[in-house]
Structure formats: structure tokens, C-alpha cells
């Protein structure tokens, strides 16, 4: 794709689908209604797609009698879009920090923007939280008796349009859902990155959005583990009471089963977090069994394997080479089927005592997409303080990050080859 700068086109009347109504700008009532996000913020409704852009266009229209439309395209190839789905409190934020670390550079909120923004931006990646596409704020959901998991509380039209625009190299004015106030704040400008990660409850729910994804991951946390994690996060970080957390989980369960959990059938990789099988009748939930379910036949992706690709293997590492206290560590690898798809499964049950010894395990894994020997171990040591760094959640999230990097590089290579071929033909 040839490099292109932002260009400005002018016209007497421009039909912009789903543009919020702005004084001085001609739009249809139906289009305006289709994108209004009900919000308690200042008691107003927030226009969705390009409210700020529309205001600028209105000024231009008033001065010259014509509206300007600014179109931006990515300079070095189409944006690669990654989807990460999981319920609230299931480790998405930790996964995002591991993923952005693989690509280098610190991921931070947009500079000079809303301090409560959910967006994280680094040199290569932009991470968008899909909570920003709630069409109902916290009070609107309470009034209508729906949860944030219910599709009726989310604007999938806007989600699709803005992800599609970013993939095509166009900047968007994205809403912000404020987790502190529970309200919808004024939008922020998001420019097309090299890699766009959309994370949240519904990245694979809407078929239109799902078709835009180049790669997708689902974090599948068992109910027992999810409860422990949510208590830790919501009590420690958000100040919620134990009673409110229990009530929230109970109220969300039917919608989770109906709208969130079914998305895992579409994912290219599913990371399952389960109670250990090494301790009979374990009730503490401190030791975890983690499975990475990898779909076969996904473009630009080759599943990781242990020892021998396609074989069924159970492995207990040597205790002299990998220090681990009771109940020890056990690995499993083998082929399986998942929602009718052929998959490869890599499983780890137990936890590490010394992360620097992880190199022993790493040396027995293949198709891990590392750039150098020991890169997985290095990444794990770099983020030893992250949750899950002593078990399979951290290990498989790190491997998944490396695989995503390889997917991106292969897509980029294909784009460059296509441009070179087109140039040779002309």
C-alpha cells in the first residue's frame, strides 16, 4: 500500500452515514438517531462517530459554504486488528501489558487527553477497550434493567464502523466510557496504528466486527477462578464490597452464558484457566491448570507443540532442572476437537518456583515464534511481578503475544509483496 498523507475534500453537501446532528451540517434524522449514545453525562446524548469532526466541519461550512471531509490513511500498510474477548476481571489488562511489551515501548494513555481514558498507545500498538462502545451508561443500564453484557447496552454499529475505519487507515473520534463515574465522556481522537487491539466483552459477538479481525483470543476462566480474581481486583483496585461483587457476578451470569461465552467458538486461540488436577478436592484455587487451545489452519499462525508435533504427550519435568514445590508441575500436549474445529492443546498444571529455570521448559517447545533463544524466559522475568507469572497463565499469554507478533509480521510481509508485485506490473 502506497504511503498517503491526510487529504481534504470539499463539497457543497456530503452525505455522512451515522453522523450526529450538528447545527449547520446536513444529515438525515434516521442517520442521527442511529448513532446517538444515551448518556447521563451533562444530561445530554453523545453523538457517536465524529462529533468533534462534525463540529469542525460545521465551522468550515459556515465560513465557506462548503463542508470539508478529512481522510487519513496509514502510511505503511493496513492496520492489523487483534481481538481479545473475556469477561470482566479475567486478566485482559495483564494480557495487554504482556502483549505490548513484546512489541517494545511502554503503553500509555493518549497524551494530554482524558485521564480516565481506557485507551493504551505505544509505538506499534493501540489498545481500545470495547466498554467505550456502551450505548447506556451505568445509570441508563440500571434504569432499563440490563447489564453491560447485554447487546442492547452496546453500540455495535459504531464499533464496526470505527474498527473498519481504523483498519483502513482513517482516524476516528471514539467515545470514552468512564469506569470511575459510570458515565460516557466526550470522545477522543484515535489514529490508525500498526496494530489495533480491541479488548472487552464483545469483540467477536457481531459478525461484521468479527470479520475485521486478523487474529482473535478468548480468555476462558472457570467460575471458581474468576470469582477469586474478581474479588482481588474489584476490592483492592476499585473499592467494591464483597457483597456487591457477589451480587454483580450473580446478576451477570445469565448474560455471560448467553452473549460472552459463545464467542470462544470463533477464537483462534482460547486460554482456559481451571482448578488444578494435581491436588485432590482443592478448594484454595492457588494452583491452576491452564490450557492453550490453538485452532488449526489459521492464516499466518502455526500452533505451538511439545516435543513432537501431532503426538499425544504427558510430561513431568525433571525435578533437578525445574524447581517446583508441592504439588509439582505436569505438562500435556495433543490434538483434539473444539466446537467442531481441529485444534492442538498445550496444557500446564502447577507453578514455577524459579522463573529463570523456565528456559528448561522453553527449550522443549517448538513453533514459539521467538527471535532468540530464551526470549520467553526473558519476557517472563521482565514481568515477574505480573499476576500469573509463576504459572501457565503468564507463560501462555507470553507465548500468545509472540505468536501475534509473528502473525503481524507475516501479514505485513504479504502486504509488501503485494505492493511490489503491483509495482512490477505497472
Amino acid at each position: 500500500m502506497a504511503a498517503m498523507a491526510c487529504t481534504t475534500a470539499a463539497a457543497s453537501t456530503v452525505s455522512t452515514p451515522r453522523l450526529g446532528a450538528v447545527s449547520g451540517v446536513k444529515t438525515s434524522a434516521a442517520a442521527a438517531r442511529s448513532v446517538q449514545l444515551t448518556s447521563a453525562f451533562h444530561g445530554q446524548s453523545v453523538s457517536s462517530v465524529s462529533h468533534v469532526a462534525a463540529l469542525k466541519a460545521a465551522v468550515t461550512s459556515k465560513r465557506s459554504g462548503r463542508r470539508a471531509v478529512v481522510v487519513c490513511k496509514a502510511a505503511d500498510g493496513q492496520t492489523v486488528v487483534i481481538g481479545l474477548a473475556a469477561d470482566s476481571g479475567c486478566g485482559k489488562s495483564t494480557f495487554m501489558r504482556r502483549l505490548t511489551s513484546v512489541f517494545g515501548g511502554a503503553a500509555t494513555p493518549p497524551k494530554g487527553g482524558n485521564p480516565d481514558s481506557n485507551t493504551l498507545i505505544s509505538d506499534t500498538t493501540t489498545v481500545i477497550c470495547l466498554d467505550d462502545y456502551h450505548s447506556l451508561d451505568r445509570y441508563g443500564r440500571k434504569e432499563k434493567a440490563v447489564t453491560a453484557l447485554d447487546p442492547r447496552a452496546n453500540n455495535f454499529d459504531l464499533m464496526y464502523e470505527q474498527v473498519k475505519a481504523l483498519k483502513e487507515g482513517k482516524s476516528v473520534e471514539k467515545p470514552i466510557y468512564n469506569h470511575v463515574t459510570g458515565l460516557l465522556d466526550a470522545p477522543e481522537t484515535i489514529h490508525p496504528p500498526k496494530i489495533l487491539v480491541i479488548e472487552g466483552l464483545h469483540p467477536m459477538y457481531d459478525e461484521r466486527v468479527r470479520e475485521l479481525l486478523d487474529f482473535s483470543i478468548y480468555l476462558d476462566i472457570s467460575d471458581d477462578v474468576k470469582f477469586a480474581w474478581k474479588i482481588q481486583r474489584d476490592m483492592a483496585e476499585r473499592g467494591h464490597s464483597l457483597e456487591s461483587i457477589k451480587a454483580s457476578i450473580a446478576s451477570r451470569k445469565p448474560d455471560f452464558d448467553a452473549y460472552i461465552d459463545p464467542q470462544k467458538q470463533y477464537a483462534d486461540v482460547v486460554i482456559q484457566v481451571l482448578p488444578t488436577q494435581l491436588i485432590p478436592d482443592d478448594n484454595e484455587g492457588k494452583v491452576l491448570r491452564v490450557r492453550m487451545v490453538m485452532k488449526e489452519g489459521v492464516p499466518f499462525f502455526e500452533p505451538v507443540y511439545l516435543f513432537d508435533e501431532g503426538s499425544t504427550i504427558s510430561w513431568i519435568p525433571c525435578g533437578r532442572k525445574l524447581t517446583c514445590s508441592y504439588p509439582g508441575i505436569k505438562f500435556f500436549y495433543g490434538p483434539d476437537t473444539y466446537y467442531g474445529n481441529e485444534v492442538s492443546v498445550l496444557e500446564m498444571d502447577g507453578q514455577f518456583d524459579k522463573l529463570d529455570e523456565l528456559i528448561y521448559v522453553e527449550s522443549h517447545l517448538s513453533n514459539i515464534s521467538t527471535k532468540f533463544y530464551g526470549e520467553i524466559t526473558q519476557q517472563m522475568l521482565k514481568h515477574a511481578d505480573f499476576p500469573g507469572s509463576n504459572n501457565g497463565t503468564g507463560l501462555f499469554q507470553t507465548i500468545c503475544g509472540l505468536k501475534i507478533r509473528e502473525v503481524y509480521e507475516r501479514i505485513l510481509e504479504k502486504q509488501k509483496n503485494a505492493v511490489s508485485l503491483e509495482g512490477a506490473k505497472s
Side-chain angles (χ1 to χ4, degrees), residues 110-407:
K111 294 180 180 178
N114 188 329
D116 294 319
S117 170
N118 304 305
T119 304
L120 294 174
I121 298 175
S122 69
D123 295 340
T124 305
T125 62
T126 292
V127 179
I128 287 179
C129 175
L130 295 184
D131 288 357
D132 289 337
Y133 293 101
H134 288 338
S135 56
L136 297 173
D137 61 26
R138 188 177 297 159
Y139 307 95
R141 295 195 299 272
K142 184 176 181 180
E143 179 183 349
K144 295 183 180 296
V146 298
T147 72
L149 292 76
D150 193 313
R152 293 173 296 175
N154 296 273
N155 191 334
F156 289 102
D157 286 342
L158 179 58
M159 184 190 302
Y160 164 69
E161 289 162 4
Q162 295 203 339
V163 173
K164 182 174 182 288
L166 289 166
K167 190 178 180 76
E168 294 173 347
K170 304 170 187 175
S171 297
V172 301
E173 295 295 323
K174 182 188 63 58
I176 298 174
Y177 178 77
N178 191 316
H179 284 99
V180 177
T181 64
L183 303 175
L184 292 163
D185 289 352
E188 62 185 352
T189 302
I190 302 295
H191 301 295
K194 295 178 180 178
I195 300 170
L196 173 67
V197 182
I198 58 172
E199 60 91 0
L201 298 170
H202 303 98
M204 291 171 269
Y205 178 82
D206 187 285
E207 184 178 2
R208 299 168 302 169
V209 178
R210 194 164 66 237
E211 290 298 316
L212 295 173
L213 301 178
D214 294 292
F215 196 77
S216 55
I217 309 101
Y218 185 94
L219 302 183
D220 188 13
I221 317 300
S222 71
D223 289 343
D224 291 340
V225 176
K226 185 189 301 183
F227 181 68
W229 285 6
K230 193 168 180 64
I231 286 177
Q232 181 179 357
R233 187 201 66 172
D234 285 1
M235 289 186 70
E237 299 178 16
R238 298 183 178 178
H240 296 179
S241 68
L242 180 60
E243 290 72 21
S244 68
I245 294 171
K246 289 180 178 179
S248 173
I249 291 175
S251 65
R252 292 165 63 94
K253 187 69 167 64
D255 282 354
F256 171 80
D257 292 341
Y259 308 120
I260 310 304
D261 193 59
Q263 293 178 73
K264 62 189 179 187
Q265 65 186 297
Y266 305 115
D268 298 317
V269 171
V270 176
I271 297 179
Q272 300 175 322
V273 183
L274 308 158
T276 182
Q277 292 182 334
L278 300 176
I279 304 174
D281 302 319
D282 176 57
N283 294 318
E284 293 187 9
K286 293 182 179 179
V287 180
L288 301 174
R289 178 169 66 100
V290 187
R291 291 162 52 90
M292 184 160 62
V293 182
M294 300 163 283
K295 190 179 292 183
E296 299 281 355
V298 176
F300 312 108
F301 173 76
E302 297 172 353
V304 179
Y305 65 90
L306 176 67
F307 291 117
D308 183 45
E309 188 173 14
S311 297
T312 298
I313 295 168
S314 181
W315 178 47
I316 298 177
C318 174
R320 294 190 301 273
K321 298 178 180 178
L322 187 67
T323 304
C324 52
S325 53
Y326 177 82
I329 292 180
K330 183 178 180 180
F331 284 86
F332 168 84
Y333 163 76
D336 204 344
T337 56
Y338 188 76
Y339 285 95
N341 298 302
E342 293 186 1
V343 298
S344 292
V345 178
L346 180 64
E347 175 183 309
M348 174 187 162
D349 196 348
Q351 57 190 31
F352 308 109
D353 283 353
K354 298 180 179 179
L355 272 183
D356 56 345
E357 295 178 347
L358 180 59
I359 190 70
Y360 171 58
V361 173
E362 181 177 349
S363 65
H364 289 81
L365 297 173
S366 298
N367 277 354
I368 49 179
S369 303
T370 53
K371 297 287 189 182
F372 54 87
Y373 180 75
E375 186 176 11
I376 291 176
T377 304
Q378 183 192 77
Q379 284 289 330
M380 292 285 284
L381 286 168
K382 182 178 178 181
H383 303 299
D385 59 332
F386 283 12
S389 290
N390 66 337
N391 60 46
T393 58
L395 174 61
F396 292 160
Q397 286 178 6
T398 299
I399 291 175
C400 203
L402 297 173
K403 299 301 292 186
I404 290 172
R405 181 181 65 187
E406 183 176 61
V407 167

